[in-house]
Amino acid sequence: MNSTIHNAGSMEIALKQTRDKIINNTNAFLYLILMQLIGYFFSFNAGMNGSGSNELFIALRTINPLPLHILTILWILVMGLNLAGEKSREYYMVSNNFTAYFSDIALIEIFSVIGGLTLMFAGPFLQVLGSIFFENVQLDSAFADVGLLNHLVLFLTSTLYLLIFGTLAYAFGIFRMRFKARFILGSIGTVVLLILASIFAARIGTPTLSFDPESLIGFYYYEQRPLMWLLKVIFTVAGLYGISYLGIRNLEVND
Amino acid sequence: MVAFSFFFLIINLIIIVALFKLISRFIRPRFSRGVAFKVFLAYSVVLLLSPLIVAFALDLSPDPDEVVEAPEFYYGRVLEDYENRTLEGLKEDEYLLLTDETLIPADVMEFSDEQPLRISTRHQQNDYAFHVIVEVTDQVEDIVVTQFHQRATLNDVEITDQMVPWRWTVTGNRLQAEIPQTEINMYVVFPVRHYFHFDRGHTFRGNQFHTMFPDIGSIQWIQIPGDLSFEYSGDPEFFKLIERR
């Protein structure tokens, strides 16, 4: 569909909208900093082990970047929800559902790449911060095996995980937009159905059917074959894209 | 258990999202786009600089090959055949680290035949491994106290050099040791598991505290001139005597 006013194709409009949305969402980066600072706080307080006697007391505090990753995921969840909720045609160029969808997706991808980059650099930054504030900072011996390739793996994996969570939140938000009050009822209904199904599965006694969150996370997180992992992630993201497109396709937008 | 932790995770997420929304109310009106962009730019610059700082200014990189870890209860093995050990031998032992060497001139002490030299460790409730070996030898004219610590590691980082050596002091006819508290506060940066996502050979250890308390032990080697009479007051279990006159 071409806009007769601007004489531009959908793709061109979508790209321009993406640019507009980035500018309009600059605050997102402030939230990212905020969330990551909270993440650094938790990283420094990740854990402490101590033991000792009268003459000897050993305390080992751990600095672990995992909370930083979790808080960045939270950031992208909120960003995905915000983007889905912001379906106004007020301040972008001529907008239809396709261009809105395309620019939202593009924005989530850009956000994940930026999030992934910050997470890749967060490791060294944690070490610098640690050395500034504490005296006796050491690296775990596992760091001896970390090379450039491992940093790239960290970037790739954290970016794609952020993308999964971002699109998940976006799809969720689109459905919330579309069905409004019915969405809550629908989600409660779905959860009840899932619970019933799991009880049913447990009654019948198929131990292979288990829906615990660990195995769900492990489905991606403990997949060590690179190609399989990539396939799983790409299919998940594509599925979520498809679901959110179905949701947005003929969505009525109230100005 | 998993369900419970998942439940708490969700509650935490809700709290953090609520906090986030609350904070965003304060941020949104106050910061213009330009300011937000500049703040993010500054943050990015700091992040980009940090690998350079790590590479050139900090010396953090671990070197597990260089760390020597003594076998468990190594000092015990030394004690088993203490009669064959020499001070020089211990100094060359790669599993022991010489932490302190004190020379006490014999003439600062006041003792007589009625009041011989008394060696004591003031702390009687030592609860970490130590041993006092007294070598009576003609090679020295003064009392020489040499302290060794068994090489110990904490998460593959050597901590032996952080052990505070005993303080040996003389009052009258008493040669006594005071044991200051060693306090080791170590921060260990752990890698996130993502680094080894596709690394099948790597077993990821996570946050584990692996201190080997069997690793920690000290040997106090006291050389005493042959013509000097002394007695040891303290737990005889921790005392060995070698006569090399």
Side-chain angles (χ1 to χ4, degrees):
Chain A
M1 186 183 80
N2 283 343
S3 159
T4 42
I5 308 169
H6 293 273
N7 194 21
S10 303
M11 213 54 180
E12 203 182 332
I13 295 176
L15 286 173
K16 283 190 174 155
Q17 263 188 21
T18 311
R19 208 196 57 197
D20 279 0
K21 280 189 182 175
I22 291 177
I23 294 169
N24 201 46
N25 280 297
T26 329
N27 270 342
F29 301 123
L30 272 190
Y31 302 148
L32 174 67
I33 296 174
L34 191 74
M35 286 310 251
Q36 291 201 336
L37 288 182
I38 299 172
Y40 285 118
F41 168 76
F42 283 123
S43 295
F44 279 118
N45 294 289
M48 184 204 152
N49 282 297
S51 79
S53 63
N54 288 337
E55 286 83 32
L56 179 68
F57 182 76
I58 292 179
L60 180 97
R61 283 157 225 266
T62 49
I63 300 177
N64 193 325
L66 196 64
L68 199 63
H69 286 244
I70 292 171
L71 279 153
T72 312
I73 284 172
L74 264 179
W75 167 74
I76 205 146
L77 282 176
V78 176
M79 283 305 128
L81 284 176
N82 275 355
L83 277 179
E86 202 185 45
K87 283 286 149 287
S88 151
R89 285 174 181 165
E90 270 175 19
Y91 45 80
Y92 303 124
M93 290 173 76
V94 198
S95 177
N96 59 32
N97 282 329
F98 171 74
T99 58
Y101 166 77
F102 184 87
S103 51
D104 285 346
I105 293 287
L107 207 61
I108 289 172
E109 280 165 9
I110 291 168
F111 280 167
S112 343
V113 171
I114 289 175
L117 276 175
T118 53
L119 284 180
M120 186 173 76
F121 284 102
F125 189 47
L126 257 183
Q127 294 169 24
V128 173
L129 279 182
S131 316
I132 290 172
F133 293 121
F134 309 115
E135 264 179 35
N136 196 358
V137 176
Q138 307 282 351
L139 294 189
D140 186 70
S141 54
F143 270 105
D145 305 334
V146 174
L148 187 66
L149 194 69
N150 297 79
H151 283 284
L152 291 178
V153 166
L154 170 73
F155 169 65
L156 179 76
T157 51
S158 50
T159 301
L160 287 179
Y161 285 139
L162 285 176
L163 188 61
I164 289 181
F165 281 102
T167 41
L168 189 72
Y170 183 70
F172 186 83
I174 287 292
F175 276 88
R176 196 180 58 176
M177 272 288 290
R178 188 182 180 95
F179 297 111
K180 299 197 172 69
R182 274 183 297 157
F183 176 76
I184 311 271
L185 289 176
S187 2
I188 291 173
T190 317
V191 170
V192 167
L193 270 181
L194 275 177
I195 291 171
L196 285 179
S198 67
I199 290 171
F200 191 64
R203 292 285 293 209
I204 285 180
T206 43
T208 45
L209 268 177
S210 72
F211 296 101
D212 62 303
E214 253 187 30
S215 63
L216 187 69
I217 294 168
F219 180 69
Y220 302 101
Y221 201 48
Y222 298 123
E223 177 59 66
Q224 290 189 316
R225 291 163 293 178
L227 204 67
M228 273 307 285
W229 178 83
L230 207 63
L231 281 177
K232 281 178 179 181
V233 169
I234 285 174
F235 274 109
T236 310
V237 171
L240 288 170
Y241 277 173
I243 289 172
S244 43
Y245 185 68
L246 286 181
I248 206 173
R249 200 171 41 170
N250 41 20
L251 179 73
E252 302 246 333
V253 179
N254 302 323
D255 285 329
Chain B
M1 239 358 245
V2 173
F4 240 150
S5 51
F6 195 59
F7 179 67
F8 279 116
L9 185 73
I10 287 174
I11 288 181
N12 284 341
L13 292 190
I14 291 168
I15 290 172
I16 290 174
V17 169
L19 193 77
F20 189 74
K21 291 257 175 192
L22 195 78
I23 293 168
S24 69
R25 278 198 184 187
F26 290 102
I27 286 185
R28 206 185 280 266
R30 287 202 191 149
F31 287 96
S32 69
R33 276 168 214 161
V35 173
F37 183 71
K38 276 172 198 157
V39 170
F40 185 67
L41 207 67
Y43 182 64
S44 320
V45 168
V46 170
L47 281 185
L48 284 170
L49 279 179
S50 55
L52 295 177
I53 297 173
V54 168
F56 296 111
L58 301 177
D59 183 27
L60 289 176
S61 58
D63 210 345
D65 300 335
E66 274 186 16
V67 174
V68 184
E69 194 176 341
E72 288 185 12
F73 299 112
Y74 183 74
Y75 66 95
R77 275 190 224 174
V78 175
L79 294 170
E80 272 171 21
D81 62 338
Y82 69 95
E83 282 165 319
N84 303 324
R85 300 280 177 167
T86 57
L87 187 61
E88 284 69 35
L90 292 192
K91 278 179 184 172
E92 280 162 18
D93 196 324
E94 61 165 342
Y95 295 133
L96 295 174
L97 183 78
L98 196 154
T99 44
D100 194 46
E101 201 165 21
T102 323
L103 189 131
I104 297 159
D107 53 5
V108 299
M109 280 173 286
E110 300 160 6
F111 52 84
S112 55
D113 288 341
E114 296 86 51
Q115 280 191 315
L117 173 67
R118 285 169 67 92
I119 298 172
S120 69
T121 51
R122 192 183 284 173
H123 246 276
Q124 293 301 315
Q125 289 171 317
N126 280 298
D127 44 10
Y128 86 98
F130 77 97
H131 244 90
V132 177
I133 297 178
V134 174
E135 183 192 13
V136 181
T137 171
D138 290 330
Q139 286 175 9
V140 290
E141 289 175 2
D142 298 308
I143 296 172
V144 183
V145 184
T146 316
Q147 303 186 30
F148 295 97
H149 270 91
Q150 176 181 337
R151 285 188 186 269
T153 58
L154 181 61
N155 283 49
D156 296 333
V157 176
E158 179 153 354
I159 53 168
T160 331
D161 46 357
Q162 295 181 39
M163 298 283 189
V164 182
W166 293 16
R167 266 198 297 274
W168 285 94
T169 51
V170 174
T171 40
N173 65 334
R174 291 173 74 94
L175 175 64
Q176 63 220 340
E178 211 182 319
I179 306 166
Q181 198 194 32
T182 296
E183 207 180 311
I184 297 174
N185 267 310
M186 205 162 85
Y187 291 83
V188 176
V189 183
F190 281 90
V192 73
R193 199 189 158 276
H194 295 60
Y195 279 127
F196 310 110
H197 207 296
F198 306 124
D199 223 340
R200 239 178 277 184
H202 194 274
T203 44
F204 187 70
R205 204 169 48 200
N207 301 11
Q208 277 174 24
F209 181 51
H210 34 109
T211 341
M212 303 289 203
F213 279 96
D215 271 0
I216 292 164
S218 90
I219 294 172
Q220 311 285 320
W221 187 289
I222 306 175
Q223 286 181 310
I224 286 182
D227 54 346
L228 210 148
S229 64
F230 74 96
E231 61 186 39
Y232 177 77
S233 67
D235 197 334
E237 200 189 325
F238 301 119
F239 175 73
K240 299 271 184 290
L241 178 67
I242 308 172
E243 300 252 3
R244 284 187 188 131
R245 263 181 251 236

mmCIF file of all heavy atoms in Angstrom, chain B residues 196-223:
data_model
loop_
_atom_site.group_PDB
_atom_site.id
_atom_site.type_symbol
_atom_site.label_atom_id
_atom_site.label_comp_id
_atom_site.label_asym_id
_atom_site.label_seq_id
_atom_site.Cartn_x
_atom_site.Cartn_y
_atom_site.Cartn_z
ATOM 1 N N PHE B 196 30.486 -19.807 28.087
ATOM 2 C CA PHE B 196 30.767 -21.191 27.735
ATOM 3 C C PHE B 196 29.514 -21.884 27.205
ATOM 4 O O PHE B 196 29.316 -23.064 27.388
ATOM 5 C CB PHE B 196 31.305 -21.928 28.964
ATOM 6 C CG PHE B 196 32.412 -21.185 29.631
ATOM 7 C CD1 PHE B 196 32.228 -20.591 30.868
ATOM 8 C CD2 PHE B 196 33.632 -21.039 29.003
ATOM 9 C CE1 PHE B 196 33.240 -19.886 31.463
ATOM 10 C CE2 PHE B 196 34.650 -20.331 29.592
ATOM 11 C CZ PHE B 196 34.454 -19.747 30.829
ATOM 12 N N HIS B 197 28.671 -21.070 26.550
ATOM 13 C CA HIS B 197 27.388 -21.609 26.108
ATOM 14 C C HIS B 197 27.574 -22.814 25.194
ATOM 15 O O HIS B 197 26.854 -23.795 25.299
ATOM 16 C CB HIS B 197 26.619 -20.506 25.372
ATOM 17 C CG HIS B 197 25.142 -20.675 25.428
ATOM 18 N ND1 HIS B 197 24.503 -21.736 24.849
ATOM 19 C CD2 HIS B 197 24.181 -19.925 25.998
ATOM 20 C CE1 HIS B 197 23.205 -21.626 25.058
ATOM 21 N NE2 HIS B 197 22.980 -20.532 25.747
ATOM 22 N N PHE B 198 28.527 -22.723 24.270
ATOM 23 C CA PHE B 198 28.716 -23.807 23.303
ATOM 24 C C PHE B 198 29.988 -24.598 23.583
ATOM 25 O O PHE B 198 30.471 -25.313 22.738
ATOM 26 C CB PHE B 198 28.763 -23.237 21.883
ATOM 27 C CG PHE B 198 27.574 -22.385 21.568
ATOM 28 C CD1 PHE B 198 27.734 -21.077 21.144
ATOM 29 C CD2 PHE B 198 26.297 -22.885 21.731
ATOM 30 C CE1 PHE B 198 26.639 -20.292 20.868
ATOM 31 C CE2 PHE B 198 25.193 -22.108 21.458
ATOM 32 C CZ PHE B 198 25.363 -20.811 21.032
ATOM 33 N N ASP B 199 30.517 -24.426 24.755
ATOM 34 C CA ASP B 199 31.786 -25.044 25.102
ATOM 35 C C ASP B 199 31.502 -26.351 25.810
ATOM 36 O O ASP B 199 31.294 -26.380 27.011
ATOM 37 C CB ASP B 199 32.569 -24.101 26.033
ATOM 38 C CG ASP B 199 34.006 -24.053 25.634
ATOM 39 O OD1 ASP B 199 34.439 -24.982 24.946
ATOM 40 O OD2 ASP B 199 34.688 -23.086 26.012
ATOM 41 N N ARG B 200 31.467 -27.430 25.059
ATOM 42 C CA ARG B 200 31.019 -28.662 25.687
ATOM 43 C C ARG B 200 32.042 -29.220 26.661
ATOM 44 O O ARG B 200 31.695 -29.886 27.621
ATOM 45 C CB ARG B 200 30.685 -29.700 24.615
ATOM 46 C CG ARG B 200 29.242 -30.136 24.734
ATOM 47 C CD ARG B 200 28.905 -31.117 23.654
ATOM 48 N NE ARG B 200 28.561 -30.466 22.409
ATOM 49 C CZ ARG B 200 28.159 -31.122 21.337
ATOM 50 N NH1 ARG B 200 28.069 -32.426 21.358
ATOM 51 N NH2 ARG B 200 27.846 -30.474 20.239
ATOM 52 N N GLY B 201 33.308 -28.930 26.378
ATOM 53 C CA GLY B 201 34.330 -29.493 27.258
ATOM 54 C C GLY B 201 34.413 -28.790 28.597
ATOM 55 O O GLY B 201 34.973 -29.309 29.552
ATOM 56 N N HIS B 202 33.831 -27.607 28.661
ATOM 57 C CA HIS B 202 33.994 -26.806 29.874
ATOM 58 C C HIS B 202 32.885 -27.118 30.862
ATOM 59 O O HIS B 202 31.711 -27.013 30.540
ATOM 60 C CB HIS B 202 33.942 -25.330 29.502
ATOM 61 C CG HIS B 202 34.421 -24.445 30.579
ATOM 62 N ND1 HIS B 202 33.607 -24.005 31.583
ATOM 63 C CD2 HIS B 202 35.636 -23.935 30.835
ATOM 64 C CE1 HIS B 202 34.306 -23.256 32.401
ATOM 65 N NE2 HIS B 202 35.548 -23.189 31.968
ATOM 66 N N THR B 203 33.258 -27.503 32.037
ATOM 67 C CA THR B 203 32.239 -27.705 33.061
ATOM 68 C C THR B 203 32.146 -26.424 33.868
ATOM 69 O O THR B 203 33.115 -25.989 34.475
ATOM 70 C CB THR B 203 32.614 -28.865 33.991
ATOM 71 O OG1 THR B 203 33.993 -28.732 34.321
ATOM 72 C CG2 THR B 203 32.365 -30.191 33.340
ATOM 73 N N PHE B 204 30.973 -25.847 33.824
ATOM 74 C CA PHE B 204 30.817 -24.555 34.483
ATOM 75 C C PHE B 204 30.609 -24.772 35.972
ATOM 76 O O PHE B 204 29.780 -25.571 36.389
ATOM 77 C CB PHE B 204 29.620 -23.826 33.886
ATOM 78 C CG PHE B 204 29.492 -22.431 34.395
ATOM 79 C CD1 PHE B 204 30.415 -21.477 34.009
ATOM 80 C CD2 PHE B 204 28.481 -22.087 35.264
ATOM 81 C CE1 PHE B 204 30.315 -20.193 34.483
ATOM 82 C CE2 PHE B 204 28.382 -20.800 35.738
ATOM 83 C CZ PHE B 204 29.298 -19.857 35.344
ATOM 84 N N ARG B 205 31.365 -24.046 36.756
ATOM 85 C CA ARG B 205 31.371 -24.312 38.182
ATOM 86 C C ARG B 205 30.423 -23.410 38.967
ATOM 87 O O ARG B 205 29.898 -23.803 39.985
ATOM 88 C CB ARG B 205 32.790 -24.143 38.702
ATOM 89 C CG ARG B 205 33.050 -24.898 39.963
ATOM 90 C CD ARG B 205 34.517 -24.903 40.260
ATOM 91 N NE ARG B 205 35.086 -23.578 40.160
ATOM 92 C CZ ARG B 205 36.380 -23.342 39.995
ATOM 93 N NH1 ARG B 205 37.206 -24.335 39.886
ATOM 94 N NH2 ARG B 205 36.837 -22.119 39.921
ATOM 95 N N GLY B 206 30.209 -22.198 38.472
ATOM 96 C CA GLY B 206 29.334 -21.294 39.206
ATOM 97 C C GLY B 206 29.975 -20.799 40.489
ATOM 98 O O GLY B 206 31.165 -20.984 40.716
ATOM 99 N N ASN B 207 29.166 -20.180 41.311
ATOM 100 C CA ASN B 207 29.702 -19.625 42.560
ATOM 101 C C ASN B 207 29.938 -20.736 43.553
ATOM 102 O O ASN B 207 29.011 -21.190 44.172
ATOM 103 C CB ASN B 207 28.699 -18.706 43.251
ATOM 104 C CG ASN B 207 28.309 -17.562 42.391
ATOM 105 O OD1 ASN B 207 28.620 -17.546 41.216
ATOM 106 N ND2 ASN B 207 27.632 -16.618 42.961
ATOM 107 N N GLN B 208 31.122 -21.136 43.679
ATOM 108 C CA GLN B 208 31.382 -22.122 44.719
ATOM 109 C C GLN B 208 32.505 -21.636 45.588
ATOM 110 O O GLN B 208 33.413 -20.974 45.134
ATOM 111 C CB GLN B 208 31.755 -23.458 44.111
ATOM 112 C CG GLN B 208 30.540 -24.265 43.715
ATOM 113 C CD GLN B 208 30.945 -25.502 42.978
ATOM 114 O OE1 GLN B 208 32.062 -25.989 43.118
ATOM 115 N NE2 GLN B 208 30.056 -26.000 42.154
ATOM 116 N N PHE B 209 32.387 -21.983 46.818
ATOM 117 C CA PHE B 209 33.391 -21.589 47.784
ATOM 118 C C PHE B 209 34.220 -22.828 48.003
ATOM 119 O O PHE B 209 33.771 -23.769 48.631
ATOM 120 C CB PHE B 209 32.663 -21.174 49.060
ATOM 121 C CG PHE B 209 33.547 -20.705 50.157
ATOM 122 C CD1 PHE B 209 34.496 -19.736 49.946
ATOM 123 C CD2 PHE B 209 33.390 -21.211 51.433
ATOM 124 C CE1 PHE B 209 35.287 -19.272 50.976
ATOM 125 C CE2 PHE B 209 34.168 -20.749 52.467
ATOM 126 C CZ PHE B 209 35.117 -19.791 52.239
ATOM 127 N N HIS B 210 35.391 -22.858 47.403
ATOM 128 C CA HIS B 210 36.176 -24.041 47.706
ATOM 129 C C HIS B 210 37.474 -23.679 48.392
ATOM 130 O O HIS B 210 38.502 -23.524 47.776
ATOM 131 C CB HIS B 210 36.370 -24.968 46.514
ATOM 132 C CG HIS B 210 36.487 -24.287 45.190
ATOM 133 N ND1 HIS B 210 37.624 -24.211 44.480
ATOM 134 C CD2 HIS B 210 35.558 -23.627 44.469
ATOM 135 C CE1 HIS B 210 37.410 -23.547 43.364
ATOM 136 N NE2 HIS B 210 36.177 -23.182 43.336
ATOM 137 N N THR B 211 37.364 -23.496 49.648
ATOM 138 C CA THR B 211 38.553 -23.324 50.458
ATOM 139 C C THR B 211 38.866 -24.672 51.029
ATOM 140 O O THR B 211 37.990 -25.390 51.432
ATOM 141 C CB THR B 211 38.288 -22.514 51.732
ATOM 142 O OG1 THR B 211 37.131 -21.825 51.576
ATOM 143 C CG2 THR B 211 39.478 -21.734 52.150
ATOM 144 N N MET B 212 40.095 -24.921 51.080
ATOM 145 C CA MET B 212 40.494 -26.165 51.690
ATOM 146 C C MET B 212 41.071 -25.842 53.046
ATOM 147 O O MET B 212 42.190 -25.377 53.134
ATOM 148 C CB MET B 212 41.554 -26.841 50.836
ATOM 149 C CG MET B 212 41.097 -27.072 49.427
ATOM 150 S SD MET B 212 39.872 -28.343 49.371
ATOM 151 C CE MET B 212 40.016 -28.868 47.700
ATOM 152 N N PHE B 213 40.309 -26.042 54.076
ATOM 153 C CA PHE B 213 40.918 -25.822 55.383
ATOM 154 C C PHE B 213 41.983 -26.855 55.708
ATOM 155 O O PHE B 213 42.906 -26.544 56.435
ATOM 156 C CB PHE B 213 39.865 -25.654 56.473
ATOM 157 C CG PHE B 213 39.339 -24.258 56.477
ATOM 158 C CD1 PHE B 213 38.174 -23.934 55.817
ATOM 159 C CD2 PHE B 213 40.065 -23.244 57.062
ATOM 160 C CE1 PHE B 213 37.738 -22.644 55.764
ATOM 161 C CE2 PHE B 213 39.626 -21.940 57.006
ATOM 162 C CZ PHE B 213 38.459 -21.643 56.357
ATOM 163 N N PRO B 214 41.899 -28.059 55.133
ATOM 164 C CA PRO B 214 43.033 -28.967 55.326
ATOM 165 C C PRO B 214 44.310 -28.427 54.688
ATOM 166 O O PRO B 214 45.387 -28.940 54.935
ATOM 167 C CB PRO B 214 42.594 -30.247 54.605
ATOM 168 C CG PRO B 214 41.157 -30.133 54.421
ATOM 169 C CD PRO B 214 40.791 -28.710 54.459
ATOM 170 N N ASP B 215 44.130 -27.390 53.855
ATOM 171 C CA ASP B 215 45.278 -26.784 53.183
ATOM 172 C C ASP B 215 46.083 -25.883 54.091
ATOM 173 O O ASP B 215 47.188 -25.502 53.755
ATOM 174 C CB ASP B 215 44.774 -25.884 52.054
ATOM 175 C CG ASP B 215 44.624 -26.632 50.778
ATOM 176 O OD1 ASP B 215 44.915 -27.822 50.797
ATOM 177 O OD2 ASP B 215 44.230 -26.025 49.787
ATOM 178 N N ILE B 216 45.450 -25.467 55.173
ATOM 179 C CA ILE B 216 46.073 -24.394 55.932
ATOM 180 C C ILE B 216 46.803 -24.970 57.129
ATOM 181 O O ILE B 216 46.225 -25.698 57.933
ATOM 182 C CB ILE B 216 45.003 -23.374 56.349
ATOM 183 C CG1 ILE B 216 44.506 -22.671 55.098
ATOM 184 C CG2 ILE B 216 45.559 -22.369 57.340
ATOM 185 C CD1 ILE B 216 43.240 -21.932 55.280
ATOM 186 N N GLY B 217 48.068 -24.654 57.213
ATOM 187 C CA GLY B 217 48.839 -25.143 58.336
ATOM 188 C C GLY B 217 50.162 -24.427 58.386
ATOM 189 O O GLY B 217 50.686 -24.021 57.356
ATOM 190 N N SER B 218 50.686 -24.257 59.579
ATOM 191 C CA SER B 218 51.961 -23.560 59.654
ATOM 192 C C SER B 218 52.942 -24.340 60.520
ATOM 193 O O SER B 218 52.552 -25.091 61.408
ATOM 194 C CB SER B 218 51.781 -22.145 60.194
ATOM 195 O OG SER B 218 51.886 -22.128 61.583
ATOM 196 N N ILE B 219 54.199 -24.184 60.173
ATOM 197 C CA ILE B 219 55.276 -24.838 60.912
ATOM 198 C C ILE B 219 56.190 -23.746 61.450
ATOM 199 O O ILE B 219 56.625 -22.872 60.702
ATOM 200 C CB ILE B 219 56.061 -25.801 59.999
ATOM 201 C CG1 ILE B 219 55.166 -26.963 59.580
ATOM 202 C CG2 ILE B 219 57.307 -26.302 60.706
ATOM 203 C CD1 ILE B 219 55.779 -27.858 58.533
ATOM 204 N N GLN B 220 56.408 -23.771 62.738
ATOM 205 C CA GLN B 220 57.309 -22.819 63.369
ATOM 206 C C GLN B 220 58.598 -23.577 63.694
ATOM 207 O O GLN B 220 58.607 -24.464 64.540
ATOM 208 C CB GLN B 220 56.683 -22.270 64.667
ATOM 209 C CG GLN B 220 55.265 -21.790 64.523
ATOM 210 C CD GLN B 220 55.181 -20.458 63.816
ATOM 211 O OE1 GLN B 220 56.006 -19.571 64.052
ATOM 212 N NE2 GLN B 220 54.199 -20.320 62.943
ATOM 213 N N TRP B 221 59.628 -23.228 62.993
ATOM 214 C CA TRP B 221 60.898 -23.938 63.154
ATOM 215 C C TRP B 221 61.812 -23.046 63.991
ATOM 216 O O TRP B 221 62.200 -21.971 63.552
ATOM 217 C CB TRP B 221 61.496 -24.229 61.787
ATOM 218 C CG TRP B 221 62.712 -25.096 61.814
ATOM 219 C CD1 TRP B 221 63.958 -24.746 62.271
ATOM 220 C CD2 TRP B 221 62.810 -26.448 61.384
ATOM 221 N NE1 TRP B 221 64.814 -25.794 62.152
ATOM 222 C CE2 TRP B 221 64.137 -26.866 61.605
ATOM 223 C CE3 TRP B 221 61.909 -27.366 60.835
ATOM 224 C CZ2 TRP B 221 64.590 -28.151 61.289
ATOM 225 C CZ3 TRP B 221 62.373 -28.636 60.520
ATOM 226 C CH2 TRP B 221 63.687 -29.026 60.739
ATOM 227 N N ILE B 222 62.141 -23.526 65.198
ATOM 228 C CA ILE B 222 62.948 -22.697 66.095
ATOM 229 C C ILE B 222 64.324 -23.353 66.258
ATOM 230 O O ILE B 222 64.420 -24.507 66.676
ATOM 231 C CB ILE B 222 62.276 -22.562 67.471
ATOM 232 C CG1 ILE B 222 60.842 -22.050 67.303
ATOM 233 C CG2 ILE B 222 63.078 -21.614 68.364
ATOM 234 C CD1 ILE B 222 60.061 -22.008 68.583
ATOM 235 N N GLN B 223 65.338 -22.598 65.884
ATOM 236 C CA GLN B 223 66.702 -23.105 66.072
ATOM 237 C C GLN B 223 67.260 -22.508 67.354
ATOM 238 O O GLN B 223 67.220 -21.292 67.560
ATOM 239 C CB GLN B 223 67.588 -22.715 64.898
ATOM 240 C CG GLN B 223 67.298 -23.535 63.654
ATOM 241 C CD GLN B 223 68.196 -23.161 62.509
ATOM 242 O OE1 GLN B 223 68.330 -21.981 62.201
ATOM 243 N NE2 GLN B 223 68.821 -24.143 61.887
#
